[in-house]
Amino acid sequence: MSKIKSQVLKDIRDNGIKPTSKFYFVTRNYFFRLLFIVSVVVGAISFAAILQEMIIGSQFYKGTNLFEAPTLFVQSIPFFWLLLLAIFTGSAWFNYKRTDEGERRDNGMIVLASILFSLLFGLLIFRIGLSEDLDIMMKTHLPAYRLTAEQRLERSANYLERKDLNEQAKKALLQRERLRTLCLNYGHQNCFGNNSNSSAEVKENLE
Amino acid sequence: MSSYIEEHIHLSDEEIMERLADMPDLYALIIDRYTDKLSRYITRISCMRADELEDILQEVFVKAYEKSASFNTSLSFNSWIYRVCHNITINYWKKNKRYDEGISFDVDTKGFIEQVTADNSTVETIMRDADARLVQDALMTIRTKYRSILVLRFFEEQDYQEISDVLKIPPGTVATHIHRAKKALAKEVRLLEQKHNT
């Protein structure tokens, strides 16, 4: 018996080494597949939220010129959701690479496929209105999130530098008022600042 | 060899792996079949000393035994065990990186040069008259991923699919990796020649 063979067999015998159960490897494979799916779904939600925010922001586009529109477009991008989409695309790649079928796949193709799935599924979420529900829920329950959304709208309105509020800005502010009302109806007292004048101010401008 | 093992000597590697849970003694056949092959592979990609080589080889076979249930039947067993060996060797090499100039390849380096230069004129020009020792030195100096792919292709004579399985790279990119590895080798040979001549 060769030296290596006798040493290996002795090692296996003396240390009681047994093959790891197949169940472990099968479970591990399914676990990473599941994480991949979860990552794609979160990516889809992020994309749907981006679409939702940009639809709100797009109200300022009407009547803008070619120079204003790109700046408004960039200002309306919710970078939080974009970052989340990027992170979960990376997570999808990481998890898929650890599956049996993914380990030999091209990295670029995996990233592209996960982005594509997220975009398609995100579009579906947006179309059925779930992104709007998510948007309202987050603006209702997360003051910091609501604040950043408001700041985005205000930046766009300020950029246009219209002394009189144009129709688009009015619509945006109307939505803000609608959200504030919803927020108060849920029993939150500090929505959009607990300032009863804010509602009056908006109404005055809308008249 | 026991008669029990002799009875099963006709089994393929894949069949032995399927029976390993119930008949662990059959693993001796796997060790017999792959000791020499893996020793040569380990030496070629890392130039280990004899004592280190034994340690690595032992670890490879023990690890392969432990992970035998993970053997994916869509791969050939040959590719699978080379992959286990490759990963363990590279990890060891990274931790203990050095090149012992006393060790040389046990193969015909001229034959290797002929194969490497067969289809690439730029590389051929540089390496046609290169000294065998310089080529060996260059081979040990280039990046591990380039060295591994050249060894697998030209010394272990594995095809593109097998290389893809061992190194876990897409089959479509194996040719590109080989091309880059050849260029890297030629560049290193040229540098060493210039250094040698000064």
Coordinates of all heavy atoms in Angstrom, one line a residue, chain B residues 28-91:
Chain B
A28 N -10.0 3.5 -1.5 CA -8.6 3.1 -1.8 C -8.3 3.1 -3.3 O -7.2 3.5 -3.8 CB -8.3 1.8 -1.2
L29 N -9.3 2.7 -4.1 CA -9.2 2.6 -5.5 C -9.0 4.1 -6.1 O -8.2 4.3 -7.0 CB -10.4 2.0 -6.2 CG -10.5 0.5 -6.0 CD1 -11.9 0.0 -6.5 CD2 -9.4 -0.3 -6.6
I30 N -9.8 5.0 -5.6 CA -9.7 6.4 -6.0 C -8.3 6.9 -5.7 O -7.7 7.6 -6.6 CB -10.8 7.2 -5.3 CG1 -12.2 6.8 -5.7 CG2 -10.5 8.7 -5.6 CD1 -12.6 7.1 -7.1
I31 N -7.8 6.6 -4.5 CA -6.5 7.1 -4.1 C -5.4 6.6 -5.1 O -4.5 7.3 -5.5 CB -6.2 6.8 -2.7 CG1 -7.2 7.4 -1.7 CG2 -4.8 7.3 -2.3 CD1 -7.1 7.0 -0.3
D32 N -5.5 5.3 -5.3 CA -4.5 4.6 -6.2 C -4.5 5.3 -7.6 O -3.5 5.5 -8.2 CB -4.9 3.1 -6.4 CG -4.5 2.3 -5.2 OD1 -3.5 2.7 -4.5 OD2 -5.1 1.2 -5.0
R33 N -5.7 5.5 -8.1 CA -5.9 6.1 -9.5 C -5.4 7.5 -9.6 O -4.9 7.9 -10.7 CB -7.3 6.0 -9.9 CG -7.8 4.6 -10.1 CD -9.3 4.6 -10.5 NE -9.8 3.2 -10.5 CZ -11.1 2.9 -10.7 NH1 -12.0 3.9 -10.9 NH2 -11.5 1.7 -10.6
Y34 N -5.5 8.3 -8.6 CA -5.2 9.7 -8.7 C -4.0 10.2 -8.0 O -3.7 11.4 -8.2 CB -6.5 10.5 -8.2 CG -7.6 10.5 -9.3 CD1 -8.6 9.5 -9.2 CD2 -7.6 11.4 -10.3 CE1 -9.6 9.4 -10.2 CE2 -8.6 11.3 -11.3 CZ -9.5 10.4 -11.3 OH -10.5 10.3 -12.2
T35 N -3.3 9.4 -7.2 CA -2.1 9.9 -6.5 C -1.1 10.5 -7.5 O -0.7 11.6 -7.3 CB -1.5 8.8 -5.7 OG1 -2.5 8.3 -4.7 CG2 -0.3 9.3 -4.9
D36 N -0.7 9.7 -8.5 CA 0.3 10.2 -9.4 C -0.1 11.5 -10.2 O 0.6 12.4 -10.3 CB 0.7 9.1 -10.4 CG 1.5 8.0 -9.7 OD1 2.0 8.2 -8.5 OD2 1.6 6.9 -10.2
K37 N -1.3 11.4 -10.7 CA -1.8 12.5 -11.5 C -1.9 13.8 -10.7 O -1.4 14.8 -11.1 CB -3.3 12.2 -11.9 CG -3.4 11.4 -13.2 CD -4.9 11.0 -13.3 CE -5.4 11.4 -14.6 NZ -6.8 11.0 -14.9
L38 N -2.4 13.7 -9.5 CA -2.6 14.9 -8.7 C -1.2 15.4 -8.2 O -1.0 16.6 -8.0 CB -3.5 14.7 -7.5 CG -5.0 14.4 -7.9 CD1 -5.8 14.2 -6.7 CD2 -5.6 15.5 -8.8
S39 N -0.3 14.5 -7.9 CA 1.1 14.9 -7.5 C 1.7 15.7 -8.5 O 2.3 16.8 -8.3 CB 2.0 13.7 -7.2 OG 1.4 12.8 -6.2
R40 N 1.6 15.2 -9.8 CA 2.2 16.0 -10.9 C 1.5 17.3 -11.0 O 2.2 18.4 -11.2 CB 2.1 15.2 -12.2 CG 3.0 14.1 -12.4 CD 3.1 13.6 -13.8 NE 1.8 13.1 -14.3 CZ 1.4 11.8 -14.2 NH1 2.2 11.0 -13.6 NH2 0.2 11.4 -14.6
Y41 N 0.2 17.4 -10.9 CA -0.5 18.7 -11.1 C -0.1 19.6 -10.0 O 0.2 20.8 -10.3 CB -2.0 18.4 -11.0 CG -2.8 19.7 -11.2 CD1 -2.7 20.4 -12.4 CD2 -3.6 20.2 -10.2 CE1 -3.5 21.6 -12.6 CE2 -4.4 21.3 -10.4 CZ -4.3 22.0 -11.5 OH -5.0 23.2 -11.7
I42 N -0.1 19.2 -8.7 CA 0.3 20.1 -7.6 C 1.7 20.6 -7.8 O 1.9 21.8 -7.7 CB 0.2 19.3 -6.3 CG1 -1.2 18.9 -6.0 CG2 0.8 20.1 -5.1 CD1 -1.4 17.9 -4.8
T43 N 2.6 19.8 -8.2 CA 4.0 20.2 -8.4 C 4.1 21.2 -9.6 O 4.8 22.2 -9.5 CB 4.9 19.0 -8.8 OG1 4.7 18.0 -7.9 CG2 6.4 19.4 -8.8
R44 N 3.3 21.0 -10.6 CA 3.4 21.9 -11.8 C 2.8 23.3 -11.5 O 3.3 24.2 -12.1 CB 2.7 21.2 -13.0 CG 3.5 20.1 -13.6 CD 2.7 19.3 -14.5 NE 3.5 18.2 -15.0 CZ 2.9 17.2 -15.7 NH1 1.6 17.1 -15.9 NH2 3.7 16.2 -16.1
I45 N 1.8 23.3 -10.7 CA 1.3 24.7 -10.5 C 1.8 25.4 -9.2 O 1.7 26.6 -9.1 CB -0.3 24.7 -10.4 CG1 -0.8 23.9 -9.2 CG2 -0.9 24.2 -11.7 CD1 -2.3 24.2 -8.9
S46 N 2.6 24.6 -8.4 CA 3.1 25.3 -7.2 C 4.5 25.0 -6.8 O 5.0 25.6 -5.9 CB 2.2 24.9 -6.0 OG 2.3 23.5 -5.8
C47 N 5.1 24.0 -7.5 CA 6.5 23.6 -7.1 C 6.7 23.3 -5.6 O 7.5 23.9 -5.0 CB 7.5 24.7 -7.6 SG 8.1 24.4 -9.2
M48 N 5.8 22.5 -5.1 CA 6.0 22.1 -3.7 C 7.2 21.2 -3.5 O 7.5 20.5 -4.4 CB 4.7 21.4 -3.2 CG 3.4 22.2 -3.3 SD 3.3 23.3 -2.0 CE 1.7 24.0 -2.3
R49 N 7.7 21.3 -2.3 CA 8.7 20.3 -1.9 C 8.0 19.0 -1.6 O 6.8 18.9 -1.4 CB 9.4 20.7 -0.6 CG 10.4 21.9 -0.8 CD 11.3 22.1 0.4 NE 10.4 22.3 1.6 CZ 10.1 23.5 2.1 NH1 10.5 24.6 1.5 NH2 9.4 23.5 3.2
A50 N 8.8 17.9 -1.5 CA 8.2 16.5 -1.4 C 7.4 16.4 -0.1 O 6.3 15.8 -0.1 CB 9.3 15.5 -1.4
D51 N 7.9 17.0 1.0 CA 7.1 16.8 2.2 C 5.8 17.6 2.2 O 4.8 17.2 2.7 CB 8.0 17.3 3.5 CG 8.5 18.7 3.3 OD1 8.7 19.1 2.2 OD2 8.8 19.3 4.3
E52 N 5.9 18.8 1.6 CA 4.7 19.6 1.5 C 3.7 18.9 0.5 O 2.5 19.0 0.7 CB 5.1 21.0 0.9 CG 5.8 21.9 1.8 CD 6.2 23.2 1.1 OE1 6.7 23.2 0.0 OE2 6.1 24.3 1.8
L53 N 4.3 18.4 -0.5 CA 3.4 17.7 -1.5 C 2.6 16.6 -0.9 O 1.4 16.5 -1.1 CB 4.3 17.1 -2.6 CG 3.6 16.2 -3.7 CD1 2.6 17.1 -4.5 CD2 4.6 15.7 -4.6
E54 N 3.2 15.8 0.0 CA 2.5 14.7 0.7 C 1.4 15.3 1.6 O 0.3 14.7 1.6 CB 3.5 13.9 1.6 CG 4.2 12.9 0.8 CD 5.2 12.1 1.7 OE1 5.0 12.1 2.9 OE2 6.1 11.4 1.1
D55 N 1.7 16.4 2.3 CA 0.7 17.0 3.1 C -0.5 17.5 2.3 O -1.7 17.2 2.7 CB 1.3 18.2 3.9 CG 2.3 17.7 5.0 OD1 2.3 16.6 5.3 OD2 3.1 18.6 5.4
I56 N -0.2 18.1 1.2 CA -1.3 18.6 0.4 C -2.1 17.5 -0.2 O -3.4 17.5 -0.1 CB -0.7 19.5 -0.8 CG1 0.1 20.7 -0.3 CG2 -1.8 19.9 -1.7 CD1 -0.8 21.8 0.2
L57 N -1.4 16.5 -0.7 CA -2.1 15.4 -1.3 C -3.0 14.7 -0.3 O -4.2 14.3 -0.6 CB -1.1 14.4 -1.8 CG -1.4 13.6 -3.0 CD1 -2.0 14.4 -4.1 CD2 -0.1 12.9 -3.6
Q58 N -2.5 14.5 0.9 CA -3.3 13.9 2.0 C -4.6 14.7 2.3 O -5.7 14.2 2.4 CB -2.5 13.8 3.3 CG -2.9 12.8 4.2 CD -1.9 12.7 5.4 OE1 -0.7 12.8 5.2 NE2 -2.4 12.4 6.6
E59 N -4.4 16.0 2.3 CA -5.5 16.9 2.6 C -6.5 16.8 1.5 O -7.7 16.9 1.7 CB -5.0 18.4 2.8 CG -6.1 19.3 3.3 CD -5.6 20.7 3.5 OE1 -4.4 20.9 3.6 OE2 -6.5 21.6 3.5
V60 N -6.0 16.8 0.2 CA -6.9 16.7 -0.9 C -7.8 15.5 -0.8 O -9.0 15.5 -1.0 CB -6.1 16.7 -2.2 CG1 -7.0 16.3 -3.4 CG2 -5.5 18.1 -2.5
F61 N -7.2 14.3 -0.6 CA -8.0 13.1 -0.6 C -8.9 13.0 0.6 O -10.1 12.5 0.5 CB -7.0 11.8 -0.5 CG -6.4 11.5 -1.9 CD1 -5.1 11.5 -2.1 CD2 -7.2 11.2 -3.0 CE1 -4.5 11.2 -3.3 CE2 -6.7 11.0 -4.2 CZ -5.3 11.0 -4.4
V62 N -8.5 13.6 1.8 CA -9.4 13.6 2.9 C -10.6 14.5 2.7 O -11.7 14.2 2.9 CB -8.6 14.0 4.2 CG1 -9.6 14.2 5.3 CG2 -7.6 12.9 4.6
K63 N -10.3 15.7 2.1 CA -11.3 16.6 1.8 C -12.3 16.1 0.7 O -13.5 16.3 0.8 CB -10.7 17.9 1.2 CG -11.5 19.2 1.4 CD -11.8 19.5 2.8 CE -11.7 20.9 3.2 NZ -11.9 21.2 4.6
A64 N -11.7 15.4 -0.3 CA -12.6 14.8 -1.3 C -13.5 13.8 -0.7 O -14.7 13.6 -1.1 CB -11.7 14.2 -2.4
Y65 N -13.0 13.0 0.2 CA -13.8 12.0 0.9 C -14.9 12.6 1.7 O -16.1 12.2 1.6 CB -12.9 11.2 1.8 CG -13.7 10.0 2.5 CD1 -14.0 8.9 1.8 CD2 -14.1 10.2 3.8 CE1 -14.7 7.8 2.5 CE2 -14.7 9.2 4.5 CZ -15.0 8.0 3.8 OH -15.7 7.0 4.4
E66 N -14.6 13.7 2.4 CA -15.6 14.4 3.2 C -16.7 15.0 2.4 O -17.8 15.0 2.7 CB -14.9 15.6 4.0 CG -14.5 15.3 5.4 CD -13.9 16.5 6.1 OE1 -13.0 17.1 5.5 OE2 -14.4 16.8 7.1
K67 N -16.3 15.6 1.2 CA -17.2 16.3 0.3 C -17.8 15.3 -0.8 O -18.3 15.8 -1.7 CB -16.6 17.5 -0.3 CG -16.2 18.5 0.7 CD -15.3 19.6 0.1 CE -16.1 20.6 -0.8 NZ -15.4 21.7 -1.3
S68 N -17.6 14.1 -0.6 CA -17.9 13.1 -1.7 C -19.4 13.3 -2.1 O -19.8 13.1 -3.3 CB -17.6 11.7 -1.4 OG -18.2 11.4 -0.1
A69 N -20.3 13.6 -1.1 CA -21.7 13.7 -1.4 C -22.0 14.9 -2.3 O -23.1 15.0 -2.9 CB -22.5 13.8 -0.1
S70 N -21.0 15.9 -2.4 CA -21.3 17.1 -3.2 C -20.9 16.8 -4.6 O -21.1 17.7 -5.5 CB -20.5 18.3 -2.6 OG -19.1 18.1 -3.0
F71 N -20.3 15.6 -4.9 CA -19.9 15.4 -6.3 C -21.2 15.4 -7.2 O -22.1 14.7 -7.0 CB -19.2 14.0 -6.4 CG -19.0 13.5 -7.8 CD1 -18.3 14.2 -8.7 CD2 -19.5 12.3 -8.2 CE1 -18.1 13.8 -10.0 CE2 -19.4 11.8 -9.5 CZ -18.7 12.6 -10.4
N72 N -21.1 16.3 -8.2 CA -22.2 16.6 -9.1 C -22.0 15.7 -10.3 O -21.0 15.8 -11.0 CB -22.1 18.0 -9.5 CG -23.3 18.5 -10.2 OD1 -24.1 17.6 -10.8 ND2 -23.6 19.8 -10.3
T73 N -23.0 14.8 -10.5 CA -22.8 13.8 -11.6 C -22.8 14.5 -13.0 O -22.5 13.8 -14.0 CB -23.9 12.8 -11.6 OG1 -25.2 13.4 -11.4 CG2 -23.7 11.8 -10.4
S74 N -23.1 15.8 -13.1 CA -23.0 16.5 -14.4 C -21.6 16.7 -14.7 O -21.2 17.0 -15.9 CB -23.8 17.8 -14.3 OG -23.2 18.7 -13.4
L75 N -20.7 16.6 -13.7 CA -19.2 16.8 -14.0 C -18.6 15.4 -14.1 O -19.2 14.4 -13.6 CB -18.5 17.4 -12.8 CG -18.9 18.9 -12.4 CD1 -18.1 19.2 -11.2 CD2 -18.6 19.8 -13.6
S76 N -17.5 15.3 -14.7 CA -16.7 14.0 -14.6 C -16.0 14.0 -13.3 O -15.7 15.1 -12.8 CB -15.7 13.9 -15.8 OG -14.7 14.8 -15.5
F77 N -15.8 12.9 -12.7 CA -15.1 12.8 -11.4 C -13.7 13.4 -11.5 O -13.2 14.0 -10.6 CB -15.0 11.4 -10.9 CG -14.3 11.2 -9.6 CD1 -14.9 11.6 -8.4 CD2 -13.0 10.8 -9.6 CE1 -14.2 11.5 -7.2 CE2 -12.3 10.7 -8.4 CZ -12.9 11.1 -7.2
N78 N -13.1 13.1 -12.7 CA -11.7 13.6 -12.9 C -11.7 15.2 -12.7 O -10.8 15.7 -12.0 CB -11.3 13.3 -14.3 CG -9.9 13.7 -14.6 OD1 -8.9 13.1 -14.1 ND2 -9.7 14.7 -15.4
S79 N -12.6 15.9 -13.3 CA -12.7 17.3 -13.2 C -13.0 17.7 -11.8 O -12.4 18.7 -11.2 CB -13.8 17.9 -14.1 OG -13.6 17.6 -15.4
W80 N -13.9 17.0 -11.1 CA -14.2 17.3 -9.7 C -13.1 17.2 -8.8 O -12.8 18.1 -8.0 CB -15.4 16.4 -9.3 CG -15.9 16.7 -7.9 CD1 -16.8 17.6 -7.6 CD2 -15.6 16.0 -6.7 NE1 -17.0 17.6 -6.2 CE2 -16.3 16.6 -5.7 CE3 -14.7 14.9 -6.4 CZ2 -16.2 16.1 -4.3 CZ3 -14.6 14.5 -5.1 CH2 -15.4 15.1 -4.1
I81 N -12.3 16.1 -8.9 CA -11.2 15.9 -7.9 C -10.1 16.9 -8.3 O -9.3 17.3 -7.4 CB -10.7 14.5 -7.8 CG1 -9.9 14.3 -6.5 CG2 -9.9 14.0 -9.0 CD1 -9.8 12.9 -6.0
Y82 N -9.9 17.2 -9.5 CA -8.9 18.2 -9.9 C -9.3 19.5 -9.3 O -8.4 20.3 -8.9 CB -8.8 18.3 -11.4 CG -7.6 17.5 -12.0 CD1 -7.8 16.2 -12.3 CD2 -6.4 18.1 -12.2 CE1 -6.7 15.5 -12.9 CE2 -5.3 17.4 -12.8 CZ -5.5 16.1 -13.1 OH -4.5 15.4 -13.6
R83 N -10.6 19.8 -9.3 CA -11.0 21.1 -8.7 C -10.7 21.2 -7.2 O -10.2 22.2 -6.7 CB -12.5 21.2 -8.9 CG -13.1 22.6 -8.4 CD -14.6 22.6 -8.3 NE -15.2 22.6 -9.6 CZ -16.5 22.7 -9.7 NH1 -17.3 22.8 -8.7 NH2 -17.1 22.8 -10.9
V84 N -11.0 20.1 -6.5 CA -10.7 20.0 -5.1 C -9.2 20.3 -4.9 O -8.8 21.1 -4.0 CB -11.2 18.7 -4.4 CG1 -10.7 18.6 -3.0 CG2 -12.7 18.5 -4.6
C85 N -8.4 19.5 -5.7 CA -7.0 19.6 -5.6 C -6.5 21.0 -5.9 O -5.7 21.6 -5.2 CB -6.4 18.6 -6.5 SG -4.6 18.7 -6.6
H86 N -7.0 21.6 -6.9 CA -6.7 23.0 -7.3 C -6.9 24.0 -6.2 O -6.0 24.8 -5.9 CB -7.4 23.3 -8.6 CG -7.2 24.7 -9.1 ND1 -6.1 25.1 -9.9 CD2 -7.9 25.9 -8.8 CE1 -6.2 26.4 -10.1 NE2 -7.2 26.9 -9.5
N87 N -8.1 23.9 -5.6 CA -8.5 24.9 -4.6 C -7.6 24.8 -3.4 O -7.1 25.8 -2.9 CB -9.9 24.7 -4.2 CG -10.9 25.1 -5.3 OD1 -10.5 25.9 -6.2 ND2 -12.1 24.6 -5.3
I88 N -7.3 23.6 -3.0 CA -6.5 23.4 -1.8 C -5.1 23.8 -2.0 O -4.4 24.5 -1.2 CB -6.5 21.9 -1.3 CG1 -7.9 21.6 -0.7 CG2 -5.5 21.6 -0.3 CD1 -8.2 20.1 -0.4
T89 N -4.6 23.5 -3.2 CA -3.2 23.8 -3.6 C -3.0 25.3 -3.7 O -2.0 25.9 -3.2 CB -2.8 23.2 -4.9 OG1 -3.1 21.8 -4.9 CG2 -1.3 23.4 -5.3
I90 N -3.9 26.0 -4.3 CA -3.8 27.4 -4.5 C -3.9 28.1 -3.2 O -3.1 29.1 -2.9 CB -4.9 28.0 -5.5 CG1 -4.8 27.4 -6.9 CG2 -5.0 29.5 -5.5 CD1 -3.4 27.7 -7.5
N91 N -4.8 27.7 -2.3 CA -4.9 28.3 -1.0 C -3.6 28.1 -0.2 O -3.1 29.1 0.5 CB -6.0 27.7 -0.1 CG -7.4 28.1 -0.6 OD1 -7.5 29.1 -1.3 ND2 -8.4 27.3 -0.3

